[in-house]
Amino acid sequence: MSDSARDSVLAPLDARMADLESLYEDLHRHPELGFQETRTAAEAARRLTSYGYEVTTGIGRTGVTGVLRNGPGPVVLLRADMDALPVTERSALPYASAVPGVMHACGHDVHVTCLAGAADLLAAGREHWSGTLVVLFQPAEEVGDGARAMIEDGLFGTAEAGAGASTDDGTSTDDGAGTDDGTSTDGAAAGPGRQGLVPTPDVVLAQHVAPLGAGLISYAPGACMAASDSLKITFHGTGGHGSRPETAVDPIVMAAAFVQRLQTVVAREVAPKDRAVVTVGSFQAGDAPNVIPDQAVVQLSVRTFDEDVRGRVLAAIDRIAKAEATASGAPREPETEVLNTFPVTRNDDRTLEQVNAAFTDHFGAQRLFGYEPAAGSEDAGLIATAAGAPLYYWWLGGWDPDEFRAAMSSGRLAQDIPSNHSPHFTPVKQPTLTMGVQALTVAALSHLEPRR
């Protein structure tokens, strides 16, 4: 697409920015947890309808899609997640969260706002491109179930009776053919032979706001985000009086020893050239100071980039848990429950190069830089895998540029710039929102056919 045509599509953004900033403030003030995003979904659907999209709601419980058919050409899917986190906000923003204990601490309010803005611009500028645009507002990314729920609800449909069911890793076994109009009246689950709720995309594009300087875009070729396994391990002991520990088997000591020994998995069982993270995020046991409980529950997160490393780390965790239980004389083995799992998020090389060329042309090479793969995890890759489409997922800077530069020059990025999931993670509105809307729009236009 020519620079002039792209600039024409982007031209209305300045006039629309005040409305988008108001939307962002409203979303930040009213965060909703996974599968509870009814207010956010309703606003997304309202806006898409006003822009002229075919809208489907209730996919995977609260997911929303919009389809804009604009002649022959590729099908491009733009995705944003909507859910917030169970975090109490610690900012002094005038639009800080009004929901106790819930906050947009991962920037999904930025994602929704930017996708709404891009959907508006691309619809208004449809005379400059040809193809089909699918915009997808996804629930419950933080708990790892949102993308899978939308896929299982018939996002890309089923090829024939009994086929197309989602596999354990959330991928689809069908060919994902779309219906003639790609719409649904209720978002109900796909039945035998049912076509998709949206056309199957030729490419999936998504972005995530990050604690980088606003106005920057970063990327990682190949594996850009880690696989994640969240586990809940219950250690069983024998309860008793705190004054008579000899009559009990203490699960707190057992689980504490497990947590300590767990630190050796990465330090001593994973080669330095490989990457893995094992983090215990929850330890729960007992209710009284003078009572030895009969169980202790540990919840932990595992991040890896390689399937072999993942298998070895999970096996080590299981081995250590059982060994500590045996060493403590536990009445039975610990029980492990898998809470959620994300696959590795992989960027397609060709798609990355194509979109980055468009980014460089529009933003300038100084705004774009390669970055280390993130140990965080995502489920956007499930959507691309289910569609059989390539994925490009990039990072959008969201922190105050001056503060970011100062922290970088002093070597204090980790100390001075809050990370995602922090109660202080509050991206600046500008230039974050402008850059995010432009990035999604430019990325979509890099794949849609130009109209001559």
Side-chain angles (χ1 to χ4, degrees):
M1 176 171 289
S2 68
D3 291 352
S4 61
R6 183 183 61 214
D7 291 344
S8 294
V9 175
L10 294 171
L13 179 56
D14 287 345
R16 286 160 162 77
M17 189 46 67
D19 173 63
L20 290 174
E21 289 187 4
S22 294
L23 171 63
Y24 169 67
E25 291 182 4
D26 182 72
L27 294 173
H28 192 85
R29 189 180 290 115
H30 300 98
E32 297 171 301
L33 296 174
F35 292 126
Q36 299 176 28
E37 310 96 337
T38 54
R39 188 178 185 277
T40 304
E43 179 61 17
R46 183 192 71 78
R47 286 177 175 262
L48 290 178
T49 300
S50 71
Y51 304 154
Y53 286 75
E54 303 163 9
V55 178
T56 305
T57 61
I59 310 174
R61 295 165 63 176
T62 49
V64 177
T65 60
V67 178
L68 185 61
R69 303 172 191 277
N70 196 35
V75 179
V76 175
L77 187 150
L78 301 178
R79 173 266 196 184
D81 39 13
M82 300 186 291
D83 54 323
L85 284 159
V87 172
T88 298
E89 184 161 352
R90 301 297 184 193
S91 80
L93 292 173
Y95 51 90
S97 172
V99 182
V102 182
M103 176 195 175
H104 268 298
C106 202
H108 296 187
D109 46 354
V110 172
H111 305 168
V112 172
T113 302
C114 291
L115 183 54
D120 185 10
L121 293 182
L122 288 161
R126 71 188 77 183
E127 71 271 17
H128 296 289
W129 58 270
S130 179
T132 297
L133 182 66
V134 179
V135 293
L136 185 152
F137 293 90
Q138 180 203 305
E141 183 275 334
E142 295 292 355
V143 295
D145 293 332
R148 185 175 286 111
M150 293 188 77
I151 294 163
E152 292 177 348
D153 219 2
L155 184 65
F156 302 127
T158 55
E160 58 186 10
S166 293
T167 63
D168 288 343
D169 66 357
T171 60
S172 175
T173 59
D174 68 84
D175 63 2
T179 61
D180 290 340
D181 63 4
T183 62
S184 169
T185 57
D186 58 8
R194 182 169 178 169
Q195 299 292 321
L197 301 176
V198 301
T200 304
D202 296 302
V203 66
V204 175
L205 304 169
Q207 64 185 5
H208 200 301
V209 68
L212 305 169
L216 300 175
I217 288 176
S218 70
Y219 63 91
C224 64
M225 297 190 75
S228 172
D229 295 278
S230 294
L231 309 176
K232 177 182 177 181
I233 302 178
T234 301
F235 291 89
H236 299 283
T238 303
H241 198 289
S243 68
R244 300 188 65 202
E246 73 279 7
T247 67
V249 175
D250 194 335
I252 295 179
V253 174
M254 188 190 314
F258 164 76
V259 172
Q260 288 290 93
R261 181 66 180 267
L262 205 59
Q263 309 311 308
T264 67
V265 174
V266 173
R268 288 295 179 267
E269 299 193 39
V270 176
K273 65 181 178 61
D274 297 322
R275 296 184 65 191
V277 179
V278 178
T279 298
V280 174
S282 175
F283 190 122
Q284 299 175 338
D287 298 302
N290 64 341
V291 178
I292 296 173
D294 59 7
Q295 69 177 31
V297 179
V298 176
Q299 295 187 62
L300 58 104
S301 173
V302 178
R303 312 288 173 138
T304 54
F305 291 88
D306 177 86
E307 189 61 28
D308 179 64
V309 174
R310 174 178 177 265
R312 286 190 282 115
V313 169
L314 292 176
I317 292 170
D318 182 65
R319 184 192 74 236
I320 292 170
K322 291 177 179 177
E324 292 297 347
T326 299
S328 297
R332 57 191 172 108
E333 286 190 342
E335 298 168 348
T336 299
E337 177 186 353
V338 178
L339 301 178
N340 61 60
T341 182
F342 294 81
V344 173
T345 302
R346 296 187 182 278
N347 278 330
D348 176 73
D349 290 342
R350 183 175 178 180
T351 305
L352 180 149
E353 291 174 4
Q354 184 172 337
V355 174
N356 278 2
F359 283 165
T360 300
D361 187 54
H362 179 69
F363 297 117
Q366 74 279 4
R367 295 287 188 92
L368 197 64
F369 65 97
Y371 204 67
E372 290 285 329
S377 303
E378 250 289 351
D379 64 358
L382 293 177
I383 295 171
T385 300
L391 170 74
Y392 181 28
Y393 187 97
W394 63 88
W395 293 97
L396 173 72
W399 207 254
D400 179 271
D402 293 333
E403 291 183 14
F404 181 78
R405 281 191 293 269
M408 177 173 281
S409 63
S410 64
R412 291 184 54 83
L413 279 177
Q415 294 79 18
D416 295 346
I417 306 298
S419 69
N420 300 70
H421 291 211
S422 162
H424 302 285
F425 184 75
T426 51
V428 294
K429 286 185 290 186
Q430 293 299 348
T432 307
L433 296 180
T434 295
M435 190 81 172
V437 174
Q438 289 182 341
L440 287 173
T441 305
V442 169
L445 292 174
S446 75
H447 280 78
L448 294 165
E449 292 288 341
R451 286 201 172 181
R452 305 187 187 282

